[in-house]
Amino acid sequence: LRQVPLLEGEAVTGYVDLVSARAYRYADAGPSALIEMPAGDPGGAARDDLLVPVLLGAGALDRGVQRLLKTLRHDAPAVAVAAARRGFDGLGEVAAEVFKTMHAPHLGKLSLARLWRGSVKDGDHFGSQRLSGLYRPLGGKLDKLPTATAGEVVALGRLEETATGDVVGTTPADRVPWPAPLPPVFALAITATSREDEVKLSGALQKLVEEDRALVVNHNAEMSELTLEGQGDTHLRVVLERLVDRFHLTVDKAAPQTPYRETITKSIDQHARYKKQSGGHGQFGEVKVTVRPRPRGEGFNFSNTVVGGAVPRNFIPAVGDGVRDYLRRGPLGFQVVDVEVILTDGAHHSVDSSEMAFRAAGRLAMAEGLPKCGPILLEPIDHMVISAPNTATARVQRVITARRGQILGFQAKEGWQGWDEVQAYMPVATLHDLIIEIRGLSHGMGFFTREFDHLAELSGREAETAIAERQAAHG
């Protein structure tokens, strides 16, 4: 403690400063009044030699604010000391470290920075960028400055190529690295409520991502959805509120779709002929293919054993393209993986055959053959490392099991006294609101990291539901 409160009944009327050994009484207006130290040395028991100052105050009542500012002025290190700690020691060229990016109405992009050394003035050039506006931020106000010197916090105008964590000016070789943002733990799929706002939404999200390095925007072409990813439901709720307040945009939101895959369990030989005549040159391509499953995780492979020119060599790649076209969405509605396709034979016409015709023939062979190959659904499984206070470890394990997860083990979290790490395999389909439950049972402190590990066969009711929802959404 730096201060201990003075009480009259249950009301806090002032405080004792343990460093100066003085007592103060709060005033309803104006600065606190110096008063005689109460009898009995009320701060004696709080002097425990811990070097962590804790100050008291109530911002809504304007109590303790001036003392906080004075403490920062007197006790915080001078700019030279702080600059050396960050690796910016010594004199030399300009070095301003950007710690926040914001977009202000009428002013555009602003880079809030601490100027560690040198001085800057409006109009200065930094590489290909020209400083257009120099301001001192104070709350929601920006005061225009002609120049700024080392130690100041400033807003730099319209440095479009500069991001949070960058250095404007000269970056020293021994600079302390800027911390990477935490990986996302919660996501929402969003669409503009009005289709006319889709372009506007894209621009607004770009600005929000510049301002918030923990916010991730993904365009998932496979699932045809736009996702917001961040540090939890509260984080994304604030982002959506900013879309409304600042950009006048409303969106519809839902849980992101799970990127299921499908594969086959049986081999087949399939023949397909694509023939079309509609005046002039027709279209003709005929293929015979062997389709067979590959071991899990080996992906797709296309090859050919054609002899005698049954399919001209220049048309063979087109057959492979047609096969790939179909595999983007198989008989169950999902991308097909771990399949081998071998072009074994075919036929062509000297006039009517073309790359387009053989591409269509390859796609047709897969459409007719793959449903006969025993297709099955695969679900993505992530490797999870869940960190929580050890008082919550047992509850975390129950959550994993309830979500069809497989516990791999747990151990004390290195360097975190009283914390455990639980490792598990968990289906991606069960992870949408996992962080909410983890934080709920760990007093808001639990978190996790995740990465894709493997695909696992999914059957039963979960598979039937996933297939039905996919077909309902995409026909």
Side-chain angles (χ1 to χ4, degrees):
L1 286 171
R2 169 69 185 260
Q3 301 172 345
V4 293
L6 293 177
L7 302 173
E8 291 184 7
E10 295 184 356
V12 177
T13 59
Y15 64 93
V16 172
D17 187 302
L18 299 180
V19 174
S20 64
R22 293 178 176 179
Y24 297 85
R25 180 183 296 278
Y26 292 129
D28 291 335
S32 301
L34 179 66
I35 60 174
E36 183 178 350
M37 180 74 77
D41 188 12
R47 295 188 181 93
D48 54 10
D49 296 328
L50 292 177
L51 301 180
V52 182
V54 178
L55 282 74
L56 305 174
L61 301 176
D62 195 23
R63 294 180 176 178
V65 178
Q66 291 299 318
R67 177 53 53 190
L68 170 63
L69 295 176
K70 287 183 178 180
T71 299
L72 291 174
R73 185 181 70 187
H74 292 296
D75 296 354
V79 61
V81 176
R85 187 178 69 244
R86 294 288 303 153
F88 290 91
D89 55 324
L91 301 175
E93 300 180 36
V94 171
E97 192 171 32
V98 178
F99 61 85
K100 182 175 177 60
T101 301
M102 57 185 288
H103 291 266
H106 312 299
L107 295 177
K109 180 177 177 179
L110 296 175
S111 302
L112 273 64
R114 180 81 185 273
L115 186 57
W116 291 120
R117 65 188 187 200
S119 62
V120 297
K121 63 181 183 299
D122 194 5
D124 281 351
H125 284 81
F126 302 100
S128 62
Q129 300 184 96
R130 180 180 181 275
L131 180 60
S132 180
L134 179 65
Y135 310 90
R136 175 182 289 115
L138 180 61
K141 187 172 67 170
L142 293 168
D143 295 328
K144 196 168 181 59
L145 297 175
T147 186
T149 57
E152 293 191 73
V153 171
V154 293
L156 308 173
R158 298 188 183 278
L159 299 181
E160 301 300 338
E161 301 173 14
T162 300
T164 300
D166 289 349
V167 174
V168 175
T170 304
T171 305
D174 56 350
R175 174 209 184 195
V176 176
W178 192 260
L182 294 172
V185 293
F186 185 79
L188 288 173
I190 64 169
T191 55
T193 303
S194 172
R195 294 180 64 88
E196 298 176 354
D197 288 336
E198 289 180 355
V199 174
K200 186 179 177 183
L201 175 62
S202 179
L205 291 176
Q206 181 179 354
K207 291 180 179 179
L208 292 177
V209 167
E210 282 190 294
E211 296 178 355
D212 184 352
R213 297 176 75 241
L215 178 65
V216 177
V217 175
N218 272 326
H219 295 267
N220 189 324
E222 177 192 347
M223 296 298 178
S224 300
E225 66 182 8
L226 176 69
T227 60
L228 286 182
E229 302 175 12
Q231 294 304 303
D233 57 320
T234 301
H235 181 197
L236 296 193
R237 184 167 64 248
V238 169
V239 170
L240 297 181
E241 289 172 354
R242 287 174 179 165
L243 283 175
V244 174
D245 296 340
R246 290 175 51 186
F247 302 100
H248 310 293
L249 288 169
T250 58
V251 298
D252 299 322
K253 59 184 184 296
Q257 299 176 65
T258 302
Y260 292 103
R261 297 289 185 264
E262 59 181 279
T263 192
I264 58 175
T265 57
K266 296 187 296 185
S267 300
I268 193 173
D269 294 321
Q270 183 65 44
H271 165 265
R273 175 186 296 163
Y274 179 77
K275 185 176 181 180
K276 187 175 182 181
Q277 193 72 40
S278 58
H281 288 310
Q283 294 291 339
F284 179 86
E286 185 173 340
V287 298
K288 292 181 180 179
V289 297
T290 296
V291 183
R292 58 193 184 197
R294 302 188 78 195
R296 189 81 71 245
E298 291 198 2
F300 167 71
N301 184 63
F302 175 77
S303 61
N304 83 91
T305 59
V306 175
V307 295
V311 177
R313 296 186 62 84
N314 58 311
F315 293 152
I316 291 176
V319 178
D321 290 340
V323 169
R324 293 183 182 88
D325 288 344
Y326 180 80
L327 294 184
R328 293 191 181 98
R329 185 181 173 195
L332 303 183
F334 300 93
Q335 183 178 334
V336 183
V337 297
D338 302 334
V339 170
E340 181 173 26
V341 178
I342 306 169
L343 176 62
T344 59
D345 201 356
H348 71 285
H349 188 276
S350 58
V351 176
D352 291 345
S353 289
S354 65
E355 288 187 2
M356 185 180 72
F358 274 99
R359 184 167 186 161
R363 185 167 56 245
L364 182 61
M366 299 306 294
E368 294 177 350
L370 219 62
K372 308 171 189 175
C373 293
I376 58 172
L377 193 64
L378 302 175
E379 68 171 345
I381 305 295
D382 278 3
H383 178 263
M384 310 287 297
V385 179
I386 303 174
S387 301
N390 53 26
T391 54
T393 301
R395 295 193 294 274
V396 168
Q397 292 175 325
R398 287 195 291 270
V399 168
I400 293 171
T401 302
R403 292 173 180 251
R404 299 193 289 117
Q406 175 189 351
I407 297 173
L408 303 176
F410 72 95
Q411 59 186 11
K413 186 173 179 64
E414 185 176 355
W416 292 54
Q417 184 176 357
W419 281 63
D420 282 339
E421 278 186 348
V422 183
Q423 298 198 35
Y425 288 143
M426 295 189 68
V428 171
T430 69
L431 300 183
H432 170 60
D433 60 351
L434 176 63
I435 189 62
I436 299 173
E437 189 167 7
I438 292 294
R439 287 174 177 166
L441 55 83
S442 63
H443 302 289
M445 295 186 288
F447 61 95
F448 60 74
T449 58
R450 51 182 282 204
E451 62 179 357
F452 172 75
D453 192 86
H454 64 279
L455 293 169
E457 182 176 344
L458 181 65
S459 58
R461 180 175 300 174
E462 288 87 359
E464 293 172 357
T465 300
I467 295 169
E469 289 177 351
R470 179 71 168 178
Q471 293 175 344
H474 297 275

